[in-house]
Amino acid sequence: MKLNVYRAPGPPPTQPLPVVVFWHGGTWKNGGLWRYGFVGRALAKMGVVAVLVGYRKYPQIRYPTFVDDAALAIKWVDEQISEYGGDPQRVVIAGHSAGAHTASALAYLPGYWEKTGLSRQVLKGFIGLSGPYDFYPRPDLQPIFPLKDLSEPWRIGKQLPSTLSPALVVHGYFDPIVKIGYAKTFVQRIKSANGRVAARYLPIEHMLTLFSFVWPLRLLPRSPWRSCRAFVRQVFEPTLE
């Protein structure tokens, strides 16, 4: 596991900053941290310490080991992020596509956050960009998941923990890779459990929820980056005032 840490340029903060931990996408098989520096820099612009997680992929591992590894990343944050000016007691986890699925499993499937050894009070929120939550794997992805397990443990939202962190779900209507219905089902499940969730359904495709973090796209009025910044500020106020 490799992690890259980002903080806005300037002198060290006088008080510990909130933390956003991000998992990239790539169908659980592809992608590397070298591609996502723009995400870390854009998150840091929100006034947080950003941690981008590089993780093991299929065929080296299969589900649910992705989520077990994600819990290890949070353990690292708890133990080390104060050295980078971050507050380990105030964490939002986030991801795009397959990374959103991993982050949502850590946040919303019973048992996985407990593997961090931390209270759920540490987890202040979840951000999902173009994520497949409650879904059935297409043929090329089926070897990654335990299809023989009739409980379908990869389907996020079928079971929920007793404590639900606030969520922001962003998805494009024109996403040809991950159906928007997965996001809508996930949002409805959280609402049905009396959880707090904001949904942003936009006329964009799969990658633009992520590429909106690139300047100057993040300046657009309906940029997903703006939605994420507003959510982060709401969760962490008054620190970011």
Side-chain angles (χ1 to χ4, degrees):
M1 180 174 58
K2 182 178 180 180
L3 303 102
N4 289 347
V5 181
Y6 297 81
R7 196 181 69 205
T14 56
Q15 296 182 358
L17 298 175
V19 180
V20 176
V21 187
F22 180 88
W23 285 262
H24 66 79
T27 62
W28 299 273
K29 298 184 288 185
N30 304 301
L33 284 183
W34 62 272
R35 297 180 177 180
Y36 297 95
F38 70 95
V39 176
R41 291 187 292 271
L43 288 170
K45 286 281 188 180
M46 299 177 186
V48 304
V49 175
V51 180
L52 270 59
V53 182
Y55 53 92
R56 295 184 294 169
K57 300 173 181 69
Y58 176 83
Q60 183 182 5
I61 62 170
R62 293 172 171 80
Y63 187 88
T65 308
F66 304 104
V67 194
D68 293 331
D69 284 1
L72 293 177
I74 298 300
K75 282 187 176 182
W76 182 92
V77 168
D78 179 63
E79 296 168 357
Q80 304 292 335
I81 203 61
S82 59
E83 298 182 13
Y84 299 86
D87 183 351
Q89 295 300 305
R90 294 181 295 154
V91 175
V92 162
I93 60 176
H96 174 258
S97 195
H101 183 273
T102 295
S104 65
L106 183 61
Y108 295 107
L109 282 180
Y112 286 103
W113 185 264
E114 287 67 25
K115 293 184 179 183
T116 68
L118 305 175
S119 165
R120 280 192 172 272
Q121 299 303 316
V122 171
L123 180 59
K124 304 303 183 184
F126 162 79
I127 298 172
L129 307 172
S130 303
Y133 308 102
D134 186 345
F135 79 111
Y136 192 83
R138 67 190 190 219
D140 64 307
L141 299 179
Q142 289 181 5
I144 299 174
F145 295 92
L147 301 186
K148 293 183 179 180
D149 188 336
L150 298 182
S151 70
E152 299 179 312
W154 66 89
R155 296 184 65 172
I156 316 301
K158 288 184 68 177
Q159 300 181 57
L160 291 168
S162 56
T163 302
L164 297 176
S165 302
L168 170 66
V169 175
V170 183
H171 213 100
Y173 279 110
F174 305 134
D175 191 330
I177 298 173
V178 178
K179 298 176 181 177
I180 194 171
Y182 298 144
K184 290 183 175 181
T185 298
F186 178 57
V187 166
Q188 188 55 52
R189 288 187 187 279
I190 294 177
K191 287 182 177 179
S192 296
N194 297 317
R196 292 168 51 199
V197 55
R200 299 288 182 269
Y201 305 129
L202 303 170
I204 57 178
E205 54 81 66
H206 186 73
M207 294 304 299
L208 276 178
T209 56
L210 185 68
F211 290 156
S212 74
F213 281 57
V214 178
W215 190 93
L217 293 181
R218 62 174 179 249
L219 302 180
L220 296 174
R222 299 186 68 192
S223 165
W225 178 82
R226 284 179 175 267
S227 295
C228 293
R229 182 182 62 174
F231 177 80
V232 165
R233 288 187 174 274
Q234 181 183 35
V235 167
F236 290 132
E237 285 181 349
T239 305
L240 297 178
E241 285 294 320

